[in-house]
Amino acid sequence: MNDLFQSVPFIAGTFFLAGTVKGLIGLGLPTVAMGLLGLMMPSVEAAALLLVPSLVTNVWQLFAGSHLGVLLRRLWTMMLGVAAGTFAASGLIAGTAAHAATAALGATLALYGILGLLKPRLQLPQKAEPWAGPLVGTATGLVTGATGVFVVPAVPYLNSLGLGRDHLVQALGLSFTFSTLALAAGLAWHGALSIEVAGVSSLALLPALAGMIVGGWLRARVEPETFRRCFFVGLLVLGCELAWRGMV
C-alpha cells in the first residue's frame, strides 16, 4: 500500500490525461486510465483506483441528457447482461493470474484501438435487439470482469443502433455506469476493494474532473477527428505493449 501512495503523482497525471481525453472526445477515461495504470501495477489495483472517477464522470454523462427513460426501456436487458457478466467474471481480475489479466487487458485495448481506427459501419436492425442486447451486455460484462475495460463490445453495438448523438452519449453513460457499479460490487465481493484504495480513487476524481474541463476547452480549439485517430493509435500501441508484458 505504501507503493500505492508513492505512486500518487503518476496516478494523478494518468487521471488528468484520461479526463482530458474524455472531455475532448466524450469517451476514453476508463480505457486510458486502465491502460496506463496497468503499466505500473496489477490490473486489479488499477481497476479499483478507477471506480470513483469512472462512476462520477459517467453518472454526470448519464444525467446530462433527457432521454434516460427511453434508453432504459430500450436497453434494460443489455444492462442486466452487463451487470451479471461483470459480477460473474470479476473473480478473474481479482484472482492470482496477474500476467493473464495483463495480457487480456492489452488484447482488449488493442482490439478497441483497431476498431476505432477502422470505424466499421455496423447497423443492427431493431428487431434483433431483443436477443442481441442481452448477449452483447453479457459479453461486455465478461470482458469488464476480466480486464476492467468496459468498451468492447458495448461501444460498437451501441453505435450500430442508429441512435442520435445525444441519445448515444447518454446510452454510453448508462452502460459505463452499470459496468462500474457491477465491477465495484465484484471487487468488493472478492475482497479486492480496500478502504485505502477507495481513498486514493476518491482523490483521483479531482485530476479527472480537471482534465475533463481542459478537454472541453480544447474541443473548440483542436480537430477532434485528428485527436481521435491519435487516441486509437495510442491505444493500439499501449495494448500491444501490455499484451506482450502479460505473455513474457
Side-chain angles (χ1 to χ4, degrees):
M1 189 53 61
N2 288 335
D3 290 342
L4 178 61
F5 282 103
Q6 290 170 4
S7 302
V8 164
F10 174 77
I11 293 169
T14 294
F15 278 101
F16 178 79
L17 176 60
T20 302
V21 172
K22 185 176 179 69
L24 185 55
I25 64 175
L27 51 84
L29 188 150
T31 315
V32 171
M34 277 300 299
L36 293 178
L37 292 175
L39 295 172
M40 299 289 292
M41 62 187 67
S43 295
V44 62
E45 201 166 272
L49 289 173
L50 173 69
L51 293 176
V52 174
S54 176
L55 182 61
V56 172
T57 55
N58 285 315
V59 168
W60 181 355
Q61 181 174 334
L62 172 61
F63 287 103
S66 58
H67 315 292
L68 180 57
V70 173
L71 291 170
L72 277 172
R73 287 191 293 272
R74 184 171 179 179
L75 300 173
W76 70 271
T77 57
M78 177 188 172
M79 296 305 110
L80 286 180
V82 167
T86 302
F87 189 82
S90 58
L92 297 175
I93 197 171
T96 57
H99 282 287
T102 300
L105 171 60
T108 302
L109 293 179
L111 174 60
Y112 186 44
I114 292 170
L115 290 173
L117 290 171
L118 295 179
K119 293 197 295 187
R121 298 291 182 180
L122 304 175
Q123 184 137 12
L124 189 76
Q126 194 162 351
K127 63 182 180 181
E129 290 182 39
W131 61 265
L135 287 177
V136 170
T138 302
T140 300
L142 293 174
V143 172
T144 300
T147 68
V149 174
F150 29 81
V151 293
V152 180
V155 172
Y157 172 75
L158 291 172
N159 272 309
S160 75
L161 299 183
L163 299 171
R165 185 182 183 280
D166 291 342
H167 284 75
L168 177 60
V169 169
Q170 199 166 10
L172 290 170
L174 179 64
S175 178
F176 296 164
T177 298
F178 268 78
S179 294
T180 305
L181 289 172
L183 183 60
L187 292 178
W189 177 261
H190 291 285
L193 187 57
S194 67
I195 294 176
E196 291 86 353
V197 173
V200 177
S201 179
S202 299
L203 291 176
L205 174 62
L206 297 177
L209 292 177
M212 286 184 67
I213 293 170
V214 171
W217 179 83
L218 286 173
R219 191 188 308 141
R221 293 164 175 80
V222 301
E223 176 53 52
E225 187 56 35
T226 300
F227 186 86
R228 283 179 67 91
R229 283 195 293 270
C230 294
F231 167 65
F232 285 117
V233 168
L235 278 189
L236 177 57
V237 173
L238 180 60
C240 290
E241 164 67 14
L242 285 168
W244 174 256
R245 285 185 181 216
M247 291 186 292
V248 297

